[in-house]
Amino acid sequence: MSPQDNVSTAVADKQADNATAAGVTKRLLIDGQLLTTERTFASLNPATGELFGHAPEAGVEEAEAAIVAARRAFDTTTWATDVEFRVKCLDQLHQALLDNLEDLRELMMAEVGATRVLTHGNQLEAPIAIVKYYADLLRTYAFSEELGEAEVRGQKHRRWLEKEAAGVVSAITAYNYPVQLALAKLSPALAAGCTVVLKGAPDTPLITLALGELIAEHTDIPAGVVNILSSSEIAPGQVMTTHPDVDVVTFTGSTPVGAQIMAAAAPTMKRVFTELGGKSALIVLDDADLDMTAQFAAFSICSHAGQGCALTTRLLVPRDKHDEIVARVAGFMSHVPFGDPTNPKMYMGPLISEKQRDKVDGLVQRAVENGATLVTGGERVDPGFFYQPTLLSNVDPDSEIAQEEAFGPILAVIPHDGDEHAVQIANNSKYGLSGGVLTADEERGIAIGRRIRTGTFSVNGGNYFTPDVPFGGYKQSGIGREMGVYGLEEFLEVKAFAVAVKE
């Protein structure tokens, strides 16, 4: 049975179950209360295109109420100063996530279109480890630092630094990895002592709201410390990025929206850090194993149907091996199983929406019109929002498909003429999120990586994506870092103290 047949048969079998699940709803979390609204908006199952459930439509009033609650919780409770209590609450949240793992898994497969295999990794189980990481980090993290004494005009002064919670945080996330993105913001913000208003993406509201229900029902986190909203409208996000009571804005999404958020936050001088787009390059050197290269490149671009900002969407290959590598990659791509996300045999699921599928298909069609060769894929597959794994060869490094983020299972193969040329092509991007190199010579690969202007880099498939490693990019891929100690310190302010020493 072909991957396409898997889509048609396995997903069709789920139609009745999907109809039954169409009533799935979740609630907003505002000031410790789980709330509904009179207006709702639909959440679709991207594997079928059918209605899955409804989310509350938060408006300006709900956004303002959440910010007021977060401000009050920060200013009037001991949350910002009681480290031991924060550790306890993060431990509780971690346990609640583990206890409700299977319910979250089912929700994620139905709403996000994440395949079951991905929920065992970066879509669900790996993000849960972020909560534990920050709980453990709090147990040893030093919020003060002695600088010693200094003599100024004959007087000795003792100096030290204290790190304090930055305040109220507005966190806005994208649809592609909603649990990962939410917990990578919530966990360090809470660990730092901040209070948070989190808004999930309109395409995946229910899984984000489910986190709020767990917080309200299974932890001692005080009312107002965490507030979670859902909305299909722009207005709540505008409130979150402009309200004078918000101190920090953290956003994951597209670069154009990130720029708009930075501009909106500028009049009130909010701290803003962002994780934005990417167009990462996988560089294949002339000594690389070609079978390993082909398999790695093919399956990487098909992970979550290419809906990952750090995926290597450009494959840079030695010119004299271009055709051989393309043939091998096409062979592996043709065997990538895609279809019903609940089927454990499926590796790739659907795109999130018909709108996203239209965007992906438009990029492929224009790439071919502009001279790229369509080797395999390039077609929609119904039902749902599936798109075939797609390989384009002989791609111009300056073309749209080589420069613009697609967020789909499209791999663009670009020939290079040696290490120097490959580095130039890789850095020929407004983005700088990630990248990788494949080579038989590890030191050569590391030397290449040091010349690539990106925030993360993989040598021979090395995995940097763990809770203790900071993640973020250069250039238009964003500002700041998430995860690791650096991720905690994004939510801290540094205050310098000095006391005149009595003789």
Side-chain angles (χ1 to χ4, degrees):
M1 180 180 289
S2 70
Q4 292 89 331
D5 290 334
N6 282 327
V7 175
S8 300
T9 57
V11 173
D13 291 341
K14 294 292 180 179
Q15 294 287 354
D17 290 342
N18 185 64
T20 301
V24 173
T25 59
K26 297 292 178 183
R27 293 164 289 176
L28 309 175
L29 175 59
I30 301 177
D31 203 9
Q33 301 297 311
L34 293 170
L35 306 171
T36 58
T37 58
E38 291 185 4
R39 294 190 303 139
T40 63
F41 63 99
S43 177
L44 303 183
N45 181 332
T48 64
E50 300 295 328
L51 178 68
F52 173 64
H54 290 88
E57 185 77 84
V60 169
E61 183 178 352
E62 286 80 12
E64 289 179 341
I67 293 169
V68 168
R71 184 80 262 167
R72 185 177 62 251
F74 185 81
D75 292 341
T76 66
T77 75
T78 61
W79 179 256
T81 56
D82 192 340
V83 175
E84 185 176 346
F85 181 56
R86 299 204 301 271
V87 170
K88 173 187 174 183
C89 290
L90 285 171
D91 283 340
Q92 290 173 335
L93 176 56
H94 180 247
Q95 189 60 50
L97 290 165
L98 292 178
D99 292 344
N100 291 272
L101 181 63
E102 295 310 315
D103 288 341
L104 293 171
R105 193 188 314 279
E106 294 298 322
L107 180 54
M108 175 156 282
M109 289 187 292
E111 186 181 46
V112 184
T115 54
R116 186 176 295 275
V117 67
L118 282 183
T119 67
H120 288 282
N122 288 345
Q123 279 287 9
L124 182 58
E125 294 188 20
I128 290 174
I130 297 173
V131 183
K132 185 178 188 302
Y133 168 80
Y134 281 107
D136 290 343
L137 178 62
L138 268 191
R139 291 178 165 93
T140 59
Y141 185 80
F143 284 90
S144 64
E145 178 185 351
E146 288 287 340
L147 298 180
E149 291 186 356
E151 186 173 310
V152 180
R153 293 188 292 273
Q155 171 70 56
K156 290 185 177 179
H157 303 265
R158 174 196 165 208
R159 297 91 33 75
W160 75 96
L161 304 179
E162 292 188 2
K163 299 174 185 178
E164 302 176 343
V168 175
V169 174
S170 283
I172 303 173
T173 61
Y175 68 78
N176 55 332
Y177 284 81
V179 172
Q180 160 69 37
L181 299 177
L183 295 182
K185 297 180 188 302
L186 270 178
S187 304
L190 296 178
C194 294
T195 58
V196 183
V197 179
L198 168 68
K199 187 177 86 67
D203 289 305
T204 54
L206 300 177
I207 186 65
T208 308
L209 294 176
L211 300 178
E213 293 188 348
L214 292 182
I215 288 169
E217 296 172 347
H218 299 284
T219 77
D220 294 327
I221 294 175
V225 169
V226 178
N227 307 269
I228 300 184
L229 307 177
S230 61
S231 180
S232 65
E233 300 176 343
I234 296 174
Q238 292 176 327
V239 173
M240 291 172 63
T241 55
T242 59
H243 198 288
D245 281 342
V246 171
D247 301 293
V248 180
V249 178
T250 171
F251 169 75
T252 298
S254 71
T255 295
V257 176
Q260 293 172 9
I261 286 174
M262 292 182 69
T268 48
M269 299 299 291
K270 302 184 192 307
R271 294 176 61 181
V272 179
F273 66 100
T274 56
E275 196 271 284
L276 306 174
K279 196 68 184 177
S280 303
L282 177 60
I283 300 172
V284 181
L285 300 186
D286 54 17
D287 59 354
D289 180 287
L290 297 192
D291 269 338
M292 191 269 279
T293 292
Q295 184 173 10
F296 184 84
F299 279 85
S300 175
I301 194 60
C302 294
S303 176
H304 197 34
Q307 297 170 114
C309 52
L311 295 177
T312 46
T313 55
R314 295 181 293 159
L315 182 63
L316 279 50
V317 304
R319 191 176 301 276
D320 61 354
K321 297 182 179 181
H322 174 277
D323 293 351
E324 181 182 2
I325 292 174
V326 165
R328 294 189 188 211
V329 174
F332 280 107
M333 266 194 174
S334 67
H335 291 95
V336 173
F338 66 93
D340 175 16
T342 66
N343 183 339
K345 294 181 179 180
M346 296 299 106
Y347 179 75
M348 189 182 92
L351 294 170
I352 193 64
S353 66
E354 188 64 29
K355 178 182 177 181
Q356 181 61 23
R357 188 163 69 166
D358 286 344
K359 174 190 173 183
V360 168
D361 189 57
L363 283 166
V364 172
Q365 302 311 318
R366 290 194 298 276
V368 173
E369 292 171 2
N370 292 327
T373 301
L374 178 60
V375 180
T376 187
E379 293 184 8
R380 305 165 191 256
V381 181
D382 297 320
F385 309 129
F386 291 90
Y387 198 80
Q388 290 178 333
T390 300
L391 182 63
L392 297 167
S393 67
N394 293 301
V395 172
D396 183 333
D398 294 321
S399 65
E400 179 189 39
I401 195 62
Q403 292 293 323
E404 297 301 321
E405 186 174 47
F407 246 49
I410 309 170
L411 183 62
V413 183
I414 302 171
H416 70 75
D417 297 311
D419 294 13
E420 185 70 29
H421 189 215
V423 169
Q424 291 174 3
I425 296 173
N427 285 331
N428 176 29
S429 173
K430 63 186 176 184
Y431 299 114
L433 188 56
S434 192
V437 64
L438 299 175
T439 175
D441 185 341
E442 183 177 296
E443 290 304 314
R444 182 183 177 193
I446 293 171
I448 290 283
R450 287 181 173 136
R451 299 179 63 191
I452 306 301
R453 289 180 48 76
T454 61
T456 54
F457 196 82
S458 170
V459 177
N460 290 332
N463 183 13
Y464 53 76
F465 205 73
T466 52
D468 59 332
V469 176
F471 179 78
Y474 292 17
K475 299 188 280 187
Q476 292 188 36
S477 286
I479 298 172
R481 295 294 183 268
E482 290 187 337
M483 301 196 294
V485 175
Y486 287 93
L488 174 68
E489 292 178 343
E490 293 285 0
F491 297 101
L492 294 172
E493 294 280 10
V494 178
K495 179 180 289 183
F497 278 89
V499 174
V501 178
K502 295 180 180 180
E503 296 296 336

